[in-house]
Amino acid sequence: MMDQDFGSVGNGQKRQPIENPCHQTKPLFRSWFQLLLLLCVVVFVLCYALSNSSVSWQTHFALQKHYKWPFNDKNKVYMSSHQVHPKHRHILIEIQTTTEPSTVQPVKTQYHQAYPRNYNFIMDNKEVCKQNPFLVLMVPVAPNNVAARDAIRKTWGKESLVQGEVVITLFMLGLSEGADVDKLQQENVQYHDLIQSDFMDTYLNLTIKTMVIMDWLATRCPAAAYAMKVDSDMFLNIDNLVIMLQKPNIPKTNYLTGMVMTNRPVVRSKDSKWYVSEELYPDPEYPTYTLGMGYVFSNDLPEKFVEVSKSIKPFNIEDAYIGMCMKKLGFTPTSPPDPSQFQAYNSKYNRCEFSKVITFILGPPQELVDYWTDLKKPGPPC
């Protein structure tokens, strides 16, 4: 193009000497070449930057799509409870929490499947704690086990004023296939004592269930003095329990008591109901803990358990897991004033013996009703 332009300078005009066009063309050619080279460099830099930006945004979008992370107004990234479907809560969820991403390095936190704030309460009765109870009895029970709940309501669960102290009894439920939702709601309308969360209610999820109990106590009933996690198949002498807690030497904080278990080996047999793999719990022995049938604790502990559980890998032995929480907090379970009051099994019913204990493990719900009725009949038990 440049040669043609310079070869036809006007119509009929005399050409300039040959050397003049050559001298004019070389500097102009160099300037155009330099400009073109510079333009290529600029285009290359822009394409590279846009390419990196695109990859970055694609990665960011993929992470958002995979984890469904919500962002709050402080640019913190967290996993909210309703975003984990109950059927998938066996998966460990690792998230990153950042504040001011430009200046602070990300801090990794694990909200594992036993962390209770991964779950939502779908049935609640938080107003019951307006009574400022001295003691809250929390009973984990399967949604379909109405018989156990009714037996407790007829016996130790019906006591609302014991030794001058306000006591309330509540049942903790999860989700279960085949459970009649309408009947559960009707039951709660009648008794106002059901708490339900959206975890799957299975034996392997007892640690989740226990930690959800702790979360409920910490958030709904922090003013209570004491609480007890007590199984639904238990005989509970509620009078003896309150008398024990009223003793002046019973601590009001950092206190956990019951049937204390020490130096208990971890069961490694895969055929056992209590099997725990080395991957979940590598140590050969559990820390000191209280047997899960029924343990009592000062009500400052639930909040501490919830907080410290963030850093403790969960396993399926719920009472030993609470023992791990105590160990991590630097506390140790305490033997009750009279250890003989926390019993596991008995060979047969004896009115005198049942009048002295706090706990016994029973069989069918009707057994509880029968024993309680006999214990409360007129006349001295011994």
Side-chain angles (χ1 to χ4, degrees), residues 9 54 57 80 144 153 155 171 289 326 342 358:
V9 184
S54 176
W57 278 106
S80 65
N144 292 328
R153 291 179 183 123
T155 57
F171 300 98
Y289 66 95
M326 287 288 284
F342 285 84
I358 291 176

Side-chain angles (χ1 to χ4, degrees), residues 256 259-268 276 280-292 305 312-313 315 317-334:
L256 172 66
M259 194 172 184
V260 178
M261 313 299 287
T262 57
N263 304 318
R264 302 298 292 183
V266 180
V267 177
R268 300 299 189 196
V276 175
L280 287 179
Y281 191 86
D283 295 341
E285 289 185 350
Y286 291 121
T288 301
Y289 66 95
T290 47
L291 201 62
F305 289 156
I312 302 175
K313 191 172 184 177
F315 51 95
I317 309 300
E318 62 89 11
D319 43 11
Y321 186 80
I322 292 297
M324 277 297 299
C325 291
M326 287 288 284
K327 181 180 179 180
K328 189 83 171 181
L329 290 167
F331 309 138
T332 305
T334 306

